């Protein structure tokens, strides 16, 4: 995959941008290079300039300038995406929203908060501590709320609290031509017109730039307990998860970590766990309610061959446990120093989860590629991190073939090609396989209506078509790149 030649940004555009933002505009090669990388295996695709906005009025002005001069625009949060979402496939301008980090309002009685897009989930929860509330969506990285909305993020708590789709009340968005719209009011429900909020949630920056979000909050649970439990094999562990969900146990977190991932965690986080498949659990509720949940799950685990639960009862112990789980990505990289990751995820109906994970593990073992499997298995979602030498095209191609087989396996089970990573640059062909050409054509029609010049994050979700602009863009950008150039540096933490 490579960039074709492209013309520089229009001088009038850069001049107007400089007048608007002053030193908060940069064409520095190092700044552009930083914004042209994410944690995917794709080669660097830097923008021609980076702008840092602080207010929604500035975003409106920037988007209008891009529309006037036909300059492609890529919204940017924490840069922790895994499928190439923030790479500047057409060059142009990257709009960094991290300085828009103000919590606008906390409506404690209504259990919601309105924030700017650069607020991170940890910053929001820190501000909520004295309110007795918390924001539950936890994708692992300390992602920005705007980025989490754009990618329809979920994570470890999704089995109990849902995903961003379920937890965004409304959005304020700047459309491709610079209009400011609000998608809904703060009421808990509405039947007024199309559900514009859900249209922008998960749109990956291709339909508008999110400048404010109102998100749902939840009361801090009275009692929290966490535990890990080892199992003799993958199928036994995942089957316990399915039984837990089918019995209606309101478990807060239920994470699967395979033997390879446990080995990595033991080396990286000094967890000292037996090298077997594990489930990580967390229970929320009243003290009697938590005791009841624990009793049911312990009985299921025992019947499934699970070992004795190892409990993390104090906040400090729970923090160490979940930090270890969230560090799997970086821990796995240490299993093969100098490697890169081809990371993928799928989601299947809970009744098919054990079969899908087991078949995937067998496929990986036969391939010889070192690849931990972890997952938010409480909602049927799991991830595979294939460790490859990016300088060896055969290894990368083998990983991509494994990814394709995994997706086809999930689709055959009525699952999805991605439970939470999104489509980005990487899974566009799989989107067609999953939904079919007519459904994808409807998506394209929405994109065409909202962004007729294809300026907002072009090349993402759909196979690439060049923006209608004098600013040159790649002529041929494949949906499924067969060859990925080796990145210059290792991925940075989100």
């Amino acid at each position: 995959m490579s960039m074709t030649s492209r013309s520089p940004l229009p001088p009038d555009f850069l001049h107007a941008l400089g007048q608007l933002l002053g030193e908060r505009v940069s064409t520095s090669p190092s700044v552009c290079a930083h914004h042209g990388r994410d944690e995917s295996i794709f080669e660097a695709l830097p923008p021609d300039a980076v702008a840092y906005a602080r207010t929604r009025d500035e975003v409106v002005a920037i988007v209008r300038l891009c529309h006037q001069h036909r300059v492609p625009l890529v919204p940017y949060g924490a840069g922790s995406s895994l499928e190439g979402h923030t790479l500047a496939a057409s060059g142009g301008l990257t709009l960094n929203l991290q300085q828009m980090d103000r919590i606008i309002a906390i409506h404690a009685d209504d259990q919601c908060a309105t924030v700017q897009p650069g607020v991170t989930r940890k910053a929001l929860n820190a501000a909520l501590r004295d309110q007795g509330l918390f924001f539950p969506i936890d994708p692992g990285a300390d992602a920005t709320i705007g980025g989490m909305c754009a990618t329809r993020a979920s994570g470890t708590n999704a089995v109990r609290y849902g995903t961003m789709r379920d937890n965004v009340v409304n959005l304020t968005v700047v459309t491709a031509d610079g209009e400011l719209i609000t998608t809904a009011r703060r009421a808990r429900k509405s039947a007024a017109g199309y559900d514009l909020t859900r249209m922008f949630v998960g749109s990956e920056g291709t339909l508008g730039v999110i400048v404010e979000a109102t998100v749902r909050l939840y009361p801090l649970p009275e009692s929290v307990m966490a535990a890990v439990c080892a199992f003799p094999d993958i199928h036994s562990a995942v089957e316990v998860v399915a039984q837990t969900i089918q019995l209606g146990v309101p478990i807060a977190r239920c994470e699967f970590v395979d033997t390879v991932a446990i080995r990595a965690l033991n080396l990286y986080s000094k967890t000292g766990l037996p090298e077997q498949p594990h489930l990580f659990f967390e229970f929320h509720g009243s003290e009697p309610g938590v005791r009841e949940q624990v009793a049911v799950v312990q009985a299921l685990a025992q019947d499934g061959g699970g070992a004795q639960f190892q409990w993390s009862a104090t906040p400090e112990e729970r923090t160490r446990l979940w930090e270890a789980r969230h560090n799997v990505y970086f821990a796995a990289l240490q299993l093969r120093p100098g490697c890169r990751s081809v990371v993928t995820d799928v989601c299947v109906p809970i009744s098919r989860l054990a079969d899908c994970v087991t078949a995937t593990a067998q496929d990986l073992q036969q391939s010889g590629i070192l690849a931990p499997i972890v997952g938010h298995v409480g909602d049927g979602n799991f991830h595979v991190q294939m460790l490859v030498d990016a300088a060896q095209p055969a290894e990368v191609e083998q990983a991509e073939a494994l990814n394709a087989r995994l997706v086809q396996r999930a689709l055959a089970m009525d699952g999805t090609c991605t439970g939470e990573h999104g489509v980005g640059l990487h899974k566009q062909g799989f989107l067609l396989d999953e939904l079919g050409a007519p459904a994808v054509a409807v998506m394209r029609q929405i994109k065409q209506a909202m962004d007729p010049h294809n300026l907002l994050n072009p090349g993402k979700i759909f196979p690439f078509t060049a923006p209608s602009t004098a600013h040159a863009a790649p002529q041929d950008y494949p949906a499924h790149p067969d060859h990925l150039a080796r990145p210059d540096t290792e991925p940075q933490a989100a």
Side-chain angles (χ1 to χ4, degrees):
M1 183 181 72
S2 62
M3 295 286 290
T4 60
S5 60
R6 54 186 182 182
S7 59
L9 291 172
D12 290 350
F13 170 78
L14 284 174
H15 177 72
L17 203 58
Q19 285 191 316
L20 176 68
L21 301 176
E23 295 182 352
R24 288 183 285 126
V25 179
S26 177
T27 57
S28 161
S30 61
V31 172
C32 291
H34 172 75
H35 288 79
R37 289 292 315 280
D38 66 2
E39 296 195 32
S40 70
I41 198 170
F42 291 103
E43 68 177 4
L45 296 172
D48 298 298
V50 177
Y52 298 83
R54 290 177 179 165
T55 68
R56 69 183 191 179
D57 288 344
E58 287 181 346
V59 175
V60 168
I62 291 165
V63 174
R64 287 178 177 174
L65 283 172
C66 288
H67 184 261
Q68 176 186 348
H69 293 275
R70 301 293 190 264
V71 172
L73 175 68
V74 180
Y76 187 96
S80 57
S81 64
L82 294 166
E83 302 289 358
H85 295 97
T86 58
L87 303 185
S90 295
L93 180 72
T94 288
L95 177 55
N96 188 310
L97 300 166
Q98 289 176 299
Q99 294 182 24
M100 293 183 67
D101 58 357
R102 186 166 61 92
I103 297 174
I104 297 168
I106 296 173
H107 305 280
D109 291 343
D110 295 324
Q111 296 185 351
C112 63
T114 301
V115 302
Q116 289 185 312
V119 172
T120 67
R121 64 176 186 85
K122 288 183 179 179
L124 177 56
N125 277 320
L128 293 170
R129 283 199 190 107
D130 61 353
Q131 304 281 341
L133 299 167
F134 80 116
F135 176 66
I137 309 304
D138 178 6
D142 189 20
T144 62
I145 300 298
M148 292 168 67
C149 292
T151 55
R152 202 185 302 148
S154 54
T156 58
N157 280 321
V159 61
R160 173 73 173 265
Y161 299 99
T163 72
M164 289 300 285
R165 179 187 65 185
D166 312 297
N167 288 284
V168 179
V169 177
N170 64 42
L171 297 170
T172 301
V173 179
V174 180
T175 62
D177 58 356
E179 289 297 320
L180 191 70
I181 67 168
T182 299
T183 61
R185 297 297 184 101
R186 280 199 302 113
R188 296 288 288 186
K189 64 180 183 179
S190 171
Y194 295 149
D195 190 344
L196 295 180
T197 305
R198 302 298 170 270
M199 184 178 74
F200 286 104
V201 172
S203 62
E204 302 184 12
T206 63
L207 299 180
V209 181
I210 296 168
V211 291
E212 287 179 15
T214 300
V215 295
R216 298 191 191 282
L217 308 175
Y218 295 81
L220 285 167
E222 174 189 335
S223 178
V224 179
M225 293 287 287
V228 297
C229 183
F231 287 83
D233 56 69
I234 289 174
H235 196 277
S236 298
V238 180
E239 192 61 33
V240 167
V241 178
Q243 293 169 2
T244 299
I245 302 306
Q246 289 159 358
L247 284 174
V249 179
I251 195 165
R253 288 174 167 174
C254 188
E255 296 288 296
F256 171 75
V257 185
D258 81 343
T259 302
V260 179
I262 290 293
R263 186 188 316 145
L265 288 182
N266 285 342
L267 293 170
Y268 187 84
S269 299
K270 312 302 180 188
T271 45
L273 297 169
E275 290 192 7
Q276 296 173 245
H278 276 68
L279 293 179
F280 287 34
F281 298 101
E282 189 165 279
F283 307 90
H284 292 182
S286 64
E287 290 189 10
V290 166
R291 286 198 298 269
E292 182 180 353
Q293 294 174 44
V294 167
V296 172
V297 175
Q298 277 187 314
L300 292 174
Q302 185 175 7
D303 291 344
Q308 187 72 26
F309 275 36
Q310 297 183 38
W311 291 100
S312 299
T314 68
E316 294 78 15
E317 290 172 341
R318 291 197 303 273
T319 297
R320 283 195 295 271
L321 174 67
W322 292 112
E323 281 184 353
R325 165 60 185 89
H326 288 324
N327 284 334
V328 165
Y329 176 87
F330 298 103
L333 290 175
Q334 305 310 308
L335 292 176
R336 190 178 180 187
C339 72
R340 291 282 293 173
S341 292
V342 177
V343 186
T344 188
D345 82 311
V346 296
C347 187
V348 297
I350 198 73
S351 62
R352 302 304 310 273
L353 181 61
D355 292 337
C356 193
V357 177
T358 301
T360 300
Q362 292 171 348
D363 196 9
L364 291 168
Q365 187 174 20
Q366 291 168 6
S367 75
I369 285 185
L370 192 62
I373 302 175
V374 299
H376 317 311
V377 287
D379 55 10
N381 181 208
F382 67 96
H383 309 254
V384 179
Q385 182 179 352
M386 292 171 278
L387 305 175
V388 300
D389 181 351
Q392 301 296 324
E395 284 195 24
V396 178
E397 289 170 8
Q398 185 183 19
E400 292 293 345
L402 285 162
N403 180 30
R405 291 200 295 273
L406 170 58
V407 169
Q408 293 307 321
R409 185 178 303 120
L411 295 183
M413 296 178 177
D414 209 14
T416 177
C417 66
T418 175
E420 62 183 12
H421 289 181
V423 175
L425 292 171
H426 200 201
K427 292 194 170 181
Q428 294 168 2
F430 299 142
L431 182 65
L432 281 167
D433 294 339
E434 179 173 330
L435 297 177
V440 175
V442 171
M443 294 185 188
R444 282 185 174 276
Q445 289 168 359
I446 294 171
K447 168 69 170 173
Q448 175 65 23
M450 295 289 297
D451 182 17
H453 302 294
N454 192 24
L455 299 178
L456 293 178
N457 212 6
K460 315 302 163 55
I461 300 182
F462 312 112
F464 190 86
T465 54
S468 57
T469 168
H471 185 77
Q475 299 292 315
D476 181 19
Y477 198 88
H480 277 299
D482 293 322
H483 302 286
L484 305 176
R486 184 178 187 181
D488 297 328
T489 59
E490 292 300 315
Q492 301 300 308

